[in-house]
């Protein structure tokens, strides 16, 4: 993950909204979505744009669970510990994820692939216990289902990396050809 | 005959793979297109019986299939759609083993009466045309010809009370906002639905977004508002998308914007995504959040209807309340009032979840008994276990024990017994649920959610948390129960907002109905339900054990071993998770006193 989010990228998100204070939450949510957290240098920019203090924005960023000050992994696992999921075994799922990935609630794996968030209810109580990874719901889970699910994301990532490698390889190739031609 | 295939794509069915089913059906339809019998595949919102999803329904024959897999698609098209023949294995089997063809003949659906869910699971939620074809926006057209007073009178006559929590009469709320001269005024839809265990609002917004908009439009006309907000929780990805799309479609049709249907009435709606804070379900906190502030509640010396959003008159209702409005305008308030009980008119949508056989979304007339809801509609408790309690009203509600299964479900009766309707979560618990642990869970939850602004809530919750944690881990002391009761009553009297003043409910009701369980924890260091790890050990009853080793397969610590022909649990490795007990079909694993204390 790129940890030096560029000013232009941040500005783009901010300027998508008119400069009214009511847009502070949506702006931060969009930043969260784009970068996986609210970059430090974004607070000043939002503050200037919406004419509110940075402290105010910080207090929001720490109050709302959807916002984070530290970078989140590429795939956010939202593990429901709502009432229904709780009585149907979400604790066992939590323990298993911790065992498999070595992360607890609010933590991110060292390769930045996964983050774990315990949330209150993801609205699929009828198939509890459930988790939400990015935008996909998984229900009626037992700890035994988890390795396969997590591996799917690992595979996806591996493939993506291979693709990037291939692409960059091609670009280099093209460059060489061009250089030769000139 | 032209047939339509309805594929349930509510979040529950989606998680069960309904999108793949829909894809396979579409492909199978295309492959069979030559056979003339035109049919189309419609992706609908939640049809209710999530437990048995993915659900597929073929109209107009009304043949309902359960647990459909993509590889069933071809057969469904060939047999059912083209030849009109049902496929037995995909049908519902009732308790006497008969196959049930139609939705209404399934006991889960048979007792229901759908008003708020009238379109959910039937129409394609993405299509405004389908909504209109099902009678949508006719109530708006009617309301445009009524005076504000006439609209409000219908709502008052319907007797509808807010579906989100305490049950304040909706008509009265509207009336007090309408009489105010000031402008601007606002309408808000509370789609935050913080109650864990309740998901009806998300399902309605996802499955029938236009009915919510239509209700809000009528409300806006009635009170004279020109702007409205839908505050939807962030986790409801589908609902957010669906509502945004519906607003755009309504704008395109001239239902929203500069002029509603060619009249000189203006109306603008927008969606605000919640930030994931439970307290934002409280109205003043919610408004503060929309304004772009931290979502903290304020004291309600002045009601929101007078000074709400940006200090202006604001009517805030929850999703289900808004959805009921078009029905009330179309059918008349009287008609609505005929349903339900005298003090609680109409129907209520419940999320029937937990240890119940058929989990899902149900809508029933107010006044239905808990027994009917849980045993007839919900099919009772799975694995023939014993019913222990049902929790209603989320963290602000409480537990009702088996002895009260025959009370009617309505606003006032529930309150009488120490709980509340809330947004309609019904969490059923069997004898494997520990009521003390359950109270601890809620208090722990609320501890994290309390905004911390007022002392009784902030400190009270913290103390209750530490007392309950102690009890669950075997360090309970004489007097703890009384202390919990005292803290609870102080919080009820002195907290600033509804979160704090209702937070003790789960604790107080469990003490009221399950005091013996608290006492067993405190005096005997025993968890009767076998849930509190520190007080529980598990043992295999070799007389009933059949040696199937199902328990071994689920044990995460491999604590069950084959030894001398039996299956003892190695206490040292056992983590006390209870998975083995849940999975044993022969009830051969027993919770006994023991554990770490
Ligand atoms: S505990 Fe139950 S599942 Fe396990 S071996 Fe014994 S009978 Fe079988
Ligand atoms: S309680 Fe859990 S850890 Fe202990 S034996 Fe049973 S399955 Fe294994
Ligand atoms: S409690 Fe887990 S999805 Fe609702």
């Amino acid at each position: 993950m790129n940890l030096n989010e560029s000013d232009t990228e941040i500005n783009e998100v901010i300027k998508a909204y008119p400069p009214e204070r009511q847009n502070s939450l949506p702006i931060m949510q969009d930043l969260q979505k784009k970068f996986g957290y609210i970059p430090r240098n974004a607070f000043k920019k939002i503050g200037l744009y919406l004419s509110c203090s940075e402290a105010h924005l910080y207090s929001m960023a720490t109050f709302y669970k959807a916002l984070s000050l530290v970078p989140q992994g590429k795939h956010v696992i939202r593990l429901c510990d709502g009432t229904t999921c709780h009585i149907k075994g979400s604790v066992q799922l939590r323990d298993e994820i911790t065992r498999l990935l070595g992360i607890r609630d609010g933590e991110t794996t060292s390769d930045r692939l996964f983050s774990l968030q315990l949330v209150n209810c993801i609205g699929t109580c009828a198939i509890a216990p459930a988790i939400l990874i990015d935008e996909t719901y998984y229900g009626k889970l037992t700890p035994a289902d988890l390795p396969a699910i997590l591996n799917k994301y690992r595979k996806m990532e591996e493939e993506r990396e291979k693709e990037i490698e291939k692409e960059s390889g091609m670009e280099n190739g093209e460059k060489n050809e061009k250089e030769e031609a000139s | 005959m032209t047939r339509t295939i309805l594929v349930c794509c509510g979040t529950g069915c989606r998680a069960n793979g309904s999108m793949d089913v829909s894809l396979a059906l579409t492909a199978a339809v295309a492959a069979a297109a030559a056979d003339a019998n035109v049919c189309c595949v419609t992706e609908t919102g939640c049809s209710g019986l999530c437990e048995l999803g993915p659900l597929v329904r073929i109209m107009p024959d009304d043949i309902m299939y359960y647990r459909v897999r993509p590889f069933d698609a071809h057969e469904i098209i060939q047999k059912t759609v083209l030849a009109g023949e049902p496929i037995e294995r995909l049908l519902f089997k009732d308790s006497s083993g008969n196959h049930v063809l139609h939705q209404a003949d399934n006991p889960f659906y048979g007792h229901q009466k759908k008003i708020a869910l009238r379109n959910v699971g039937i129409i394609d939620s993405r299509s405004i045309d389908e909504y209109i074809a099902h009678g949508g926006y006719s109530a708006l057209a009617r309301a445009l010809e009524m005076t504000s007073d006439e609209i409000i009178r219908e709502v008052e006559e319907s007797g509808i009370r807010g579906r989100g929590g305490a049950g304040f009469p909706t008509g009265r709320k509207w009336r007090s906002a309408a009489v105010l001269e000031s402008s601007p005024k606002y309408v808000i839809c509370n789609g935050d639905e913080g109650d864990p265990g309740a998901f009806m609002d998300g399902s309605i917004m996802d499955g029938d977004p236009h009915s919510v908009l239509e209700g809000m439009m009528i409300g806006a006309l009635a009170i004279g508002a020109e702007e409205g907000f839908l505050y939807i929780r962030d986790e409801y990805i589908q609902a957010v998308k669906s509502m945004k799309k519906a607003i755009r479609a309504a704008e395109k049709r001239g239902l929203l914007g500069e002029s509603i249907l060619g009249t000189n009435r203006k109306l603008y709606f927008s969606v605000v995504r919640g930030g994931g804070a439970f307290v934002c379900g409280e109205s003043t906190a919610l408004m503060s959040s929309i304004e772009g502030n931290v979502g903290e509640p304020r004291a309600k010396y002045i009601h929101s209807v007078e000074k709400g959003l940006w200090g202006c008159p604001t009517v805030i209702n929850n999703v289900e309340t808004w959805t009921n409005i078009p029905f009330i305008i179309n059918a008349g308030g009287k008609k609505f009032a005929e349903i339900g009980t005298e003090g609680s008119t109409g129907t209520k949508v419940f999320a029937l979840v937990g240890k119940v056989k058929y989990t899902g979304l149900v809508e029933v007339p107010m006044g239905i008994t808990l027994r009917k809801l849980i045993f007839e509609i919900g099919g009772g408790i799975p694995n023939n276990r014993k019913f222990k309690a049902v929790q209603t009203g989320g963290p602000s509600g409480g537990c009702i024990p088996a002895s009260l299964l025959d009370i009617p479900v309505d606003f006032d009766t529930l309150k009488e017994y120490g709980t509340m309707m809330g947004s309609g979560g019904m969490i059923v618990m069997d004898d494997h649920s520990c009521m003390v642990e359950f109270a601890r869970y809620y208090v722990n939850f609320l501890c994290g959610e309390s905004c911390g602004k007022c002392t009784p809530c902030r400190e009270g919750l913290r103390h209750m948390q530490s007392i309950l944690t102690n009890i669950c881990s075997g360090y309970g002391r004489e007097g703890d129960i009384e202390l919990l009761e005292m803290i609870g009553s102080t919080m009820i009297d002195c907290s600033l907002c509804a979160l704090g003043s209702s937070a003790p409910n789960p604790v107080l009701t469990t003490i009221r109905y399950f005091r013996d369980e608290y006492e067993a924890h405190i005096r005997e260091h025993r968890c009767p339900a076998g849930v509190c790890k520190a007080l529980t050990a598990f043992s295999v009853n070799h007389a009933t054990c059949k040696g199937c080793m199902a328990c071994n397969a689920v044990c995460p610590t491999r604590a069950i071993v084959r030894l001398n022909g039996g299956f003892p649990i190695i206490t040292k490795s056992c983590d006390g998770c209870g998975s083995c007990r849940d999975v044993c079909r022969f009830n051969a694993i027993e919770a006994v006193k023991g554990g770490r204390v």
Side-chain angles (χ1 to χ4, degrees), chain B residues 287-583:
Chain B
M287 289 187 283
S288 162
S289 181
I290 294 181
E291 291 167 7
N293 297 314
V294 172
E296 277 176 358
R298 59 162 175 77
K300 287 190 189 168
Y301 302 120
I302 306 166
H303 288 292
S304 313
V305 278
E306 286 167 40
K307 266 188 181 350
L309 202 56
W310 290 292
C312 304
T314 304
V315 160
I316 174 165
N317 280 126
N318 102 316
V319 175
E320 197 186 328
T321 316
W322 288 123
T323 334
N324 275 310
I325 299 298
F327 175 91
I328 290 171
I329 297 299
N330 270 332
K334 245 211 201 90
K335 190 92 203 209
F336 189 87
E338 282 165 13
I339 309 163
T341 66
E342 212 188 312
S344 305
T345 56
T347 57
K348 176 79 193 85
V349 183
F350 291 104
L352 192 58
V353 294
K355 306 283 182 70
V356 60
K357 205 156 168 197
Y358 302 126
T359 55
L361 214 55
V362 299
E363 182 171 359
V364 289
M366 293 269 195
I368 190 173
T369 62
L370 282 167
R371 188 183 299 281
K372 206 163 178 178
L373 197 58
I374 295 164
F375 287 88
E376 285 181 35
I377 297 179
I381 317 299
N383 305 328
N384 290 322
R385 307 213 60 82
K386 244 177 78 198
F387 169 87
K388 184 167 191 176
V390 56
Q391 207 277 348
T392 73
S396 319
C399 286
I400 294 179
S403 58
L404 295 176
L405 268 174
D406 289 307
I407 63 166
V409 179
D410 61 57
F411 286 110
D412 307 315
T413 312
L414 289 183
K415 221 180 229 152
E416 217 173 284
Y417 289 98
T419 175
M420 63 189 271
M421 185 80 82
S423 58
M426 286 256 162
I427 301 160
V428 181
M429 282 172 281
D430 65 7
D431 53 357
H432 285 180
S433 309
C434 168
M435 305 316 280
V436 188
E437 206 286 329
F438 195 63
R440 187 208 59 83
Y441 164 79
Y442 268 131
V443 167
N444 191 40
F445 167 87
L446 290 168
C447 231
E449 296 295 341
S450 166
C451 78
K453 193 170 179 171
C454 74
T455 320
C457 173
R458 185 186 61 234
E459 299 301 323
L461 276 168
R462 254 215 280 173
H463 282 290
M464 290 211 292
Q465 184 194 33
S466 76
I467 296 170
L468 288 165
T469 311
N470 278 343
I471 298 179
C472 289
S473 33
Y475 302 116
R477 283 184 308 213
E478 280 303 326
D480 276 353
I481 301 178
E482 291 71 24
L483 191 55
L484 283 172
E485 285 173 328
M486 211 174 76
I487 299 173
S489 66
T490 311
M491 286 174 67
I492 291 177
D493 291 340
C494 310
S495 292
L496 176 70
C497 87
L499 187 145
S501 61
S502 62
N505 287 350
V507 182
L508 297 181
T509 50
T510 46
I511 293 180
R512 177 156 156 199
Y513 300 121
F514 299 95
R515 201 180 185 104
D516 53 334
E517 232 169 283
Y518 278 82
E519 285 165 354
H521 281 75
I522 295 172
R523 293 188 189 145
E524 301 161 37
H525 301 290
R526 186 170 64 88
C527 173
V531 170
C532 295
K533 284 188 185 183
L535 306 177
T536 305
F538 290 92
S539 83
V540 179
N541 178 344
H542 289 274
T544 38
C545 173
K546 298 267 196 292
C548 68
M549 295 299 273
C551 50
N552 183 343
V554 296
C555 176
T557 60
R558 297 264 167 261
I560 306 174
V561 290
R562 195 188 288 266
L563 208 75
N564 306 333
F567 304 99
I569 292 176
I570 309 295
T571 331
K572 226 176 37 213
S573 346
C574 172
D575 180 40
C577 70
S579 302
C580 53
R581 179 176 62 159
D582 288 341
V583 84

Side-chain angles (χ1 to χ4, degrees), chain A residues 17 21-26 29-30 33 56 59-60 63-67 78 81-84 86-88 91-92 95-96 99 119-127 132 134-135 137-140, chain B residues 11-12 15-16 50-51 196-199 229 233-237 241 273-277 279-280 289-295 310 353-355 359-360 427-429 437-438 441-442 445 449 579:
Chain A
Y17 291 89
R21 177 184 279 220
Q22 70 185 96
N23 293 321
S24 50
L25 183 56
Q29 279 170 321
D30 286 358
K33 198 160 182 197
H56 170 76
S59 70
M60 285 178 69
F63 179 81
Y64 291 109
K65 280 212 194 108
L67 307 174
R78 301 202 214 185
D81 192 26
T83 328
T84 319
H86 186 76
I87 63 170
K88 284 224 169 167
V91 179
Q92 281 141 267
D95 292 349
E96 186 65 7
R99 215 176 58 80
V119 298
N120 292 335
C121 177
I122 52 178
T124 50
C125 325
I127 49 162
L132 173 65
D134 305 333
E135 303 206 342
Y137 295 89
Y138 301 88
K140 289 194 189 163
Chain B
T11 40
N16 275 330
C50 314
E51 172 72 31
F199 57 97
F229 295 91
R233 50 186 310 202
D234 210 26
E235 283 91 351
Y236 285 177
I237 297 161
K241 277 191 198 154
R273 274 175 300 150
V279 71
C280 286
S289 181
I290 294 181
E291 291 167 7
N293 297 314
V294 172
W310 290 292
V353 294
K355 306 283 182 70
T359 55
I427 301 160
V428 181
M429 282 172 281
E437 206 286 329
F438 195 63
Y441 164 79
Y442 268 131
F445 167 87
E449 296 295 341
S579 302

Side-chain angles (χ1 to χ4, degrees), chain B residues 4-10 13-14 17-27 40-47 55-57 119-127 130 206-209 238 242 245:
Chain B
T4 313
I5 308 176
L6 304 176
V7 184
C8 175
C9 290
C13 279
R14 245 171 219 270
S18 66
M19 297 311 278
D20 294 335
V21 173
S22 166
L23 217 65
L25 281 166
T26 314
C40 64
V41 179
T42 302
E43 293 177 358
T44 71
C46 179
S47 343
L55 306 172
V56 170
R57 194 173 172 197
N119 292 321
V120 183
I122 293 171
I123 65 167
D124 179 355
S125 60
R126 295 163 305 185
S127 155
E130 278 211 18
D206 178 21
D208 191 15
Q238 251 359 84
S242 194
K245 188 161 184 170

